[in-house]
Amino acid sequence: MQNILSFLTILALFSCQPDTSIDQKVDDIIKQMTTAEKVGQMTQIDHRFLDDHEDITDYAIGSLLSGGGSHPKENTHKAWVDLYNGYQEKALASRLGIPLIYGIDAVHGHNNVKGATIYPHNIGLGATGNPEIVRSVSHATSSEVAATGINWTFAPCIATPQDYRWGRTYEGFSSDPKLVLDLGVAAVEGYQSSTKKNPRKVIACAKHFIGDGNTIYGTGINNLVDRGNTVLTKESLKKTLIPVYQAAIDAGVETVMASYNSWNGVKCHGSKELLTDILKVEMGFDGFVISDWAGIDEIPGDYKSDIVTSINAGMDMVMVSGEGEPYKKFMALLTEAIQEELIPMSRIDDAVSRILRVKFRAGLFDDPLMDYDYLSEIGSDENRQIGRDAVRQSVVVLKNESILPLSNSNGKVRWSKIVVAGRGADNLGMQCGGWTIDWQGGQGDITDGTTILEGLRENAPLGIEVVSDPLANSVKGDLAIVVIGEDPYTEFFGDRDSLNLNEEDLQVIENAKAQGMKVVVLLISGRPMNIADHFDNWDAFAAIWLPGSEGEGVADVLFGNYNPTGRLSFPWPVHAEEGTSASSMLYNLGAGLSYE
Ligand code: BGC
Ligand code: BGC
């Protein structure tokens, strides 16, 4: 009851009632600000690319971020707090002492932090179809984020991917905007609700506005999908994707990230129609718009014109990052453009007001620094339990020839020896996927957690022996569980023109079959793949997506401790490359089996 009450209070806090006292404070600050200080507020830098920490004070920088893989030298929990406080103190030492807002890609847990709970990527959460678990996962994530002092996560991604060749398919909950809307709202509410344990707020970011999941193959980076062109009439945009963002805004999302892609040939980063006319005016968004990483650089023209076009279009803060163009160049050119009246001061004041308003709403002016009091939140048993629950709800059983659940029921021994095989069986990095510790993720023991093999071992019912045999060619059991799948990738690194299964993986399945074992195939993947030519041979098959650090959730389903409820949130084509527009589907949206 108390939880519900505090949740309602928080909802009320976030429900966009214009707060006149905040508006007054913002106006007072704006009046005191120099142009240079306004420019500083609009600048966001990845801390790895700071020339000098004093620049935060000297240029009155508004925001820092940790992009994928951007962490303190030693990736310890305490080091994160020290990193955050160190930078925040520099900001507080500036003339006006405006606190930083610090952003991070906590897109499936606080995933840059070693030892944090890693939750399933959104595709797995989509398969749960359950807003309550999405809310819990997001809330637990923000409690881990807040424990390190960080106050802003670049999540949720509310894309509705259609072409599975896109390397970011897994960042979307579903191809169906209706489901994305429900889960997106739950995520925003979960992220932005503070707990009694740690009263600090984390701000969410709906991304990437708009059409990131609808780009046409061949128009993106490397002539593939990511960052390509989305062709949709304004009417169909309004019917499909806009309602998802509107719902996130109505749920109180404080920031929106512009998308790398183009809409009908125009880069979203430079589109006044999208960022101002639609998002701010028609949809009533009163938070601020952040660019994507060097996203303005992709607008045609030189860097200065990119700055002018994007700010005039309605960009409020630019994720310069500093990796490509130096941030001092960005600030100099923005200042120049203001002096030359290429950007009106009213636009600058609007941008800065929006940024300050969000900083006030986040409570940053009251409580900018962090102590070590909440570090035990990171990777806590309670948060891992939420992860395990999310995993078991995300597993989609698609084929079951009377094999599952793997229990010896009614005193009848069906399986005394289960062989566990495949590259994904004992590979935490692979089951976590991209955006884990490093931008592109990694292989093996990259953080703390339970692999699928460990989960099976620890939860096997009495009388069932679980044996590891990676290639399934040396131990004969009654049945083999073969864990196959994709190696980790992030963004355009995961764009593919073929979604065939890995040959080595298929060989392991063959090995198990050759020994006369029944085979359960578990697929770790960020999208539907080409299984049609192979799966006749499999006795049971489940899609487990990118489950994250809590592998026990998979064992819960296989051993029947949990009757599977996961359902496809993306239809599964015969030819996966054809995505949602495929003429023949192997499994439709919503497919998935439970046990009798
Ligand atoms: C991604 C965003 C991410 C940002 C910061 C970009 O490359 O598109 O989703 O939030 O980097 O890491
Ligand atoms: C960053 C990522 C970012 C990417 C964009 C990387 O160096 O760490 O967070 O999304 O660059 O290209």
Side-chain angles (χ1 to χ4, degrees):
M1 185 63 193
Q2 214 160 29
N3 269 344
I4 295 176
L5 274 183
S6 57
F7 191 59
L8 289 179
T9 325
I10 285 139
L11 274 188
L13 273 177
F14 271 103
S15 64
C16 288
Q17 289 298 327
D19 182 331
T20 45
S21 72
I22 287 184
D23 287 347
Q24 191 55 54
K25 287 181 200 155
V26 168
D27 284 350
D28 289 347
I29 298 178
I30 296 268
K31 281 196 198 109
Q32 300 172 53
M33 289 175 88
T34 62
T35 301
E37 286 165 336
K38 292 175 186 174
V39 166
Q41 281 304 304
M42 294 170 70
T43 305
Q44 187 188 54
I45 307 163
D46 187 303
H47 81 101
R48 285 173 296 183
F49 302 116
L50 277 169
D51 299 336
D52 187 334
H53 295 189
E54 296 304 323
D55 284 351
I56 300 171
T57 317
D58 297 347
Y59 292 85
I61 299 300
S63 181
L64 294 182
L65 88 144
S66 281
S70 173
H71 38 67
K73 269 194 205 79
E74 268 193 77
N75 197 341
T76 64
H77 302 168
K78 189 170 165 295
W80 276 96
V81 176
D82 293 339
L83 171 137
Y84 170 81
N85 282 340
Y87 293 134
Q88 191 61 283
E89 276 161 4
K90 296 285 175 212
L92 298 175
S94 63
R95 187 180 73 97
L96 294 172
I98 300 172
L100 290 169
I101 183 164
Y102 197 112
I104 196 162
D105 291 285
V107 299
H108 65 144
H110 199 5
N111 46 246
N112 277 359
V113 178
K114 239 188 188 151
T117 315
I118 304 298
Y119 293 98
H121 270 297
N122 285 350
I123 194 169
L125 295 179
T128 72
N130 180 3
E132 287 318 310
I133 192 72
V134 172
R135 202 187 311 275
S136 307
V137 162
S138 312
H139 186 136
T141 297
S142 74
S143 75
E144 299 202 14
V145 171
T148 55
I150 296 177
N151 22 61
W152 186 13
T153 174
F154 303 127
C157 174
I158 51 176
T160 45
Q162 305 295 320
D163 188 328
Y164 307 156
R165 292 170 294 191
W166 189 36
R168 308 193 78 161
T169 303
Y170 67 78
E171 295 188 56
F173 293 113
S174 170
S175 56
D176 176 7
K178 284 199 273 318
L179 183 55
V180 178
L181 186 153
D182 288 344
L183 301 185
V185 165
V188 168
E189 290 172 354
Y191 284 129
Q192 291 195 167
S193 59
S194 50
T195 49
K196 273 239 281 294
K197 271 192 246 164
N198 179 356
R200 281 175 175 75
K201 270 194 208 109
V202 171
I203 294 307
C205 180
K207 73 185 189 185
H208 309 79
F209 190 77
I210 197 169
D212 49 353
N214 306 71
T215 59
I216 294 172
Y217 181 84
T219 62
I221 265 193
N222 306 322
N223 298 319
L224 291 165
V225 193
D226 195 36
R227 309 187 181 188
N229 185 30
T230 287
V231 179
L232 279 174
T233 63
K234 192 167 173 189
E235 289 65 52
S236 50
L237 201 65
K238 286 197 164 171
K239 267 196 218 118
T240 53
L241 306 183
I242 296 276
V244 181
Y245 276 89
Q246 187 69 62
I249 292 168
D250 296 345
V253 76
E254 296 280 3
T255 66
V256 169
M257 189 184 291
S259 192
Y260 279 126
N261 64 274
S262 305
W263 175 45
N264 299 333
V266 178
K267 282 279 172 192
C268 295
H269 276 75
S271 168
K272 180 162 185 290
E273 180 176 14
L274 283 175
L275 302 185
T276 298
D277 303 349
I278 297 181
L279 180 62
K280 291 180 179 172
V281 179
E282 288 178 34
M283 297 171 75
F285 175 61
D286 78 342
F288 71 85
V289 181
I290 171 85
S291 84
D292 204 336
W293 181 280
I296 65 166
D297 307 24
E298 299 193 10
I299 299 171
D302 64 13
Y303 194 45
K304 183 167 172 188
S305 76
D306 297 344
I307 295 172
V308 172
T309 306
S310 61
I311 307 290
N312 281 335
M315 194 67 70
D316 300 308
M317 184 186 279
V318 175
M319 191 188 290
V320 184
S321 90
E323 186 185 37
E325 298 287 2
Y327 57 90
K328 284 175 192 156
K329 178 175 171 191
F330 168 80
M331 292 190 288
L333 291 176
L334 176 53
T335 309
E336 209 175 274
I338 298 168
Q339 281 156 356
E340 292 165 0
E341 295 180 14
L342 297 172
I343 304 171
M345 191 53 90
S346 56
R347 175 71 271 277
I348 299 296
D349 285 348
D350 172 55
V352 177
S353 303
R354 287 169 176 270
I355 293 165
L356 294 178
R357 193 186 298 147
V358 170
K359 288 186 176 182
F360 271 109
R361 286 187 189 151
L364 278 167
F365 283 89
D366 306 324
D367 206 4
L369 294 172
M370 192 56 200
D371 43 42
Y372 304 122
D373 289 1
Y374 302 100
L375 288 182
S376 60
E377 277 287 301
I378 301 172
S380 70
D381 290 346
E382 196 185 330
N383 291 347
R384 290 189 186 277
Q385 193 53 47
I386 293 170
R388 178 176 183 168
D389 191 15
V391 171
R392 60 195 204 169
Q393 294 190 40
S394 71
V395 171
V396 183
V397 177
L398 289 165
K399 181 176 182 185
N400 185 11
E401 305 283 304
S402 307
I403 301 285
L404 303 174
L406 302 174
S407 51
N408 290 331
S409 51
N410 306 329
K412 205 173 115 212
V413 177
R414 293 172 74 206
W415 326 104
S416 53
K417 192 170 185 177
I418 293 180
V419 170
V420 181
R423 284 180 309 126
D426 197 21
N427 189 338
L428 204 55
M430 186 166 158
Q431 74 191 45
C432 289
W435 294 115
T436 315
I437 310 301
D438 281 314
W439 183 36
Q440 295 296 322
Q443 298 279 354
D445 292 335
I446 57 172
T447 187
D448 305 337
T450 307
T451 67
I452 291 160
L453 171 67
E454 289 163 349
L456 290 165
R457 276 207 174 119
E458 284 158 25
N459 293 280
L462 219 61
I464 297 188
E465 188 195 355
V466 173
V467 191
S468 163
D469 181 18
L471 298 177
N473 60 0
S474 59
V475 182
K476 165 102 169 73
D478 310 307
L479 170 135
I481 298 173
V482 185
V483 190
I484 65 170
E486 291 189 291
D487 290 319
Y489 54 79
T490 302
E491 299 186 42
F492 49 90
F493 282 78
D495 277 8
R496 300 274 181 273
D497 50 21
S498 154
L499 295 175
N500 286 340
L501 297 177
N502 175 303
E503 291 294 330
E504 276 173 55
D505 285 349
L506 292 171
Q507 187 56 52
V508 178
I509 298 173
E510 283 313 308
N511 295 348
K513 277 278 157 189
Q515 294 206 65
M517 291 187 272
K518 297 274 187 200
V519 174
V520 177
V521 174
L522 302 180
L523 176 64
I524 294 177
S525 71
R527 47 194 156 190
M529 303 200 57
N530 289 328
I531 61 167
D533 290 343
H534 313 284
F535 84 128
D536 280 349
N537 222 357
W538 307 344
D539 302 289
F541 168 58
I544 64 172
W545 317 113
L546 299 163
S549 59
E550 305 314 302
E552 287 175 303
V554 175
D556 290 339
V557 171
L558 295 190
F559 291 133
N561 301 331
Y562 183 78
N563 192 350
T565 52
R567 301 291 179 259
L568 289 184
S569 60
F570 289 83
W572 198 302
V574 175
H575 302 288
E577 296 84 4
E578 292 172 9
T580 56
S581 54
S583 49
S584 56
M585 291 294 172
L586 214 50
Y587 301 108
N588 291 322
L589 190 79
L593 305 170
S594 296
Y595 304 143
E596 293 296 287

